[in-house]
């Protein structure tokens, strides 16, 4: 420890509250980087840390959508990093380099991977320690603000990787179900990647916003979706972003033969996905999950977002109101991402 302290929002135990505390500022170990946090996005997945669903070690600061600057570098870090450099930190908090997945270069699925803000301290604090392999090199000249940028490191990269993994090509029809933290970025990504974009959401009043963000078509989940999709043509990919366990099954009849249903929304309604398996068999439809990429994936993605003018619609909150901001996210009210900004003195 450095003997210095900093302000942090941390949870002491499962199902506790985020409290503001003074925490010892750690020193960077050999392959670690200490980041001075500027902005830290609140994600629905902070729920894992707050509830103990992923065996978080307490006390812990959540936060895995971090934008900041390098404060100090460990002695064995690559010479490419510089103190003061703008960097980010996402869900992937570093990997082991030794497990079967790492040896195949599949770092996202490292069997011993650290998860920022879930299994190790995250960004809802003024300083966060990161493994060098997890640090995202961010250009200085991005057109978006820190709070517009932070959610791209998890929410944005998750929907981007999901669409690419599903084989998205220009001209394909995709469905984005849900217009919240993930969905509002997925509409932009799909549109800028050349897809025909269909948005399905629960509330008819979101239509104008969906079209502005990039949707070509908008339907309420109560519409006759099978009839509407007959006019457009079946979708190659359906991306389920709503936090519901069973809502994605509505998408299966809307998919083309060999279509893919990709689930990225973390369910919070206790429901499970009951599907008509005959439809999967007869149409060769695949159902899979997807998650955020690693640091290098994020570097590639953020540069493209900057050129394509993709950004998060974010609301800024001071660190003191971290718990209020978190509660706002969990109740589904924000339009669309809540981001803590540190306001260093
Ligand atoms: Zn996240
Ligand atoms: Zn590994």
């Amino acid at each position: 420890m450095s003997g210095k302290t900093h302000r942090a929002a941390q949870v002491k135990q499962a199902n506790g509250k985020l409290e503001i505390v003074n925490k010892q500022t750690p020193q960077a170990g050999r392959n670690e980087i200490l980041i001075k946090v500027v902005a830290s996005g609140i994600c629905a997945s902070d729920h894992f840390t707050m509830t103990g669903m992923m065996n978080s070690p307490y006390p812990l600061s959540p936060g895995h959508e971090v934008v900041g600057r390098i404060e100090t570098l460990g002695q064995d870090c690559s010479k490419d990093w510089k103190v003061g450099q703008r960097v980010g930190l996402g869900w992937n908090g570093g990997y082991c380099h030794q497990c079967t997945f790492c040896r195949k270069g599949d770092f996202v699925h490292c069997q011993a991977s650290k998860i920022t803000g879930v299994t190790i301290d995250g960004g809802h604090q003024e300083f966060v320690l990161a493994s060098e392999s997890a640090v995202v090199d961010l250009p200085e000249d991005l057109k978006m603000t820190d709070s517009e940028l932070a959610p791209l490191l998890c929410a944005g990269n998750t929907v981007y990787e999901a669409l690419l993994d599903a084989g998205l090509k220009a001209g394909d029809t995709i469905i984005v179900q849900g217009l919240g933290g993930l969905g509002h970025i997925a509409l932009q990504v799909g549109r800028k990647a050349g897809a025909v974009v269909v948005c399905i959401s629960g509330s008819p009043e979101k239509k104008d916003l969906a079209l502005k963000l990039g949707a070509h078509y908008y339907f309420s989940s109560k519409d006759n979706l099978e009839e509407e999709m007959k006019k457009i043509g079946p979708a190659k990919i359906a991306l389920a972003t709503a936090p519901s366990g069973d809502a994605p099954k509505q998408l299966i009849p809307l998919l083309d033969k060999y279509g893919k249903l990709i689930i990225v929304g973390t369910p919070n309604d206790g429901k499970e996905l009951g599907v008509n398996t005959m439809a999967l068999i007869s149409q060769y439809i695949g159902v899979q999950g997807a998650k955020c990429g690693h640091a290098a994936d994020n570097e590639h993605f953020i540069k493209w977002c900057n050129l394509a003018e993709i950004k998060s619609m974010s609301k800024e909150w001071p660190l003191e109101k971290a718990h209020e901001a978190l509660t706002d996210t969990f109740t589904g009210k924000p339009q669309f991402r809540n981001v803590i900004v540190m306001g260093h003195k």
Side-chain angles (χ1 to χ4, degrees), residues 43-46 64-65 91 154-155 158 337:
C43 178
S45 302
D46 288 0
H64 56 265
E65 299 176 343
W91 173 261
C154 170
T158 297
R337 296 297 275 196

Side-chain angles (χ1 to χ4, degrees), residues 223-280:
D223 288 340
N224 187 335
L225 297 172
E226 290 185 48
E227 283 304 312
E228 296 292 353
M229 287 302 290
K230 272 184 197 157
K231 298 174 207 161
I232 299 165
K236 177 176 176 178
I237 303 164
L239 192 65
T241 75
S244 165
D246 67 346
K249 71 182 175 195
Q250 180 183 36
L251 303 171
I252 289 172
L254 313 180
L255 283 165
D256 204 355
K257 216 174 256 289
Y258 300 103
K260 283 193 181 159
L261 168 61
I262 314 287
I263 297 171
V264 290
T266 317
N268 61 11
D269 57 1
K271 293 186 177 166
E272 294 191 353
L273 183 68
V275 296
N276 177 345
T277 45
M278 249 338 272
L280 303 185

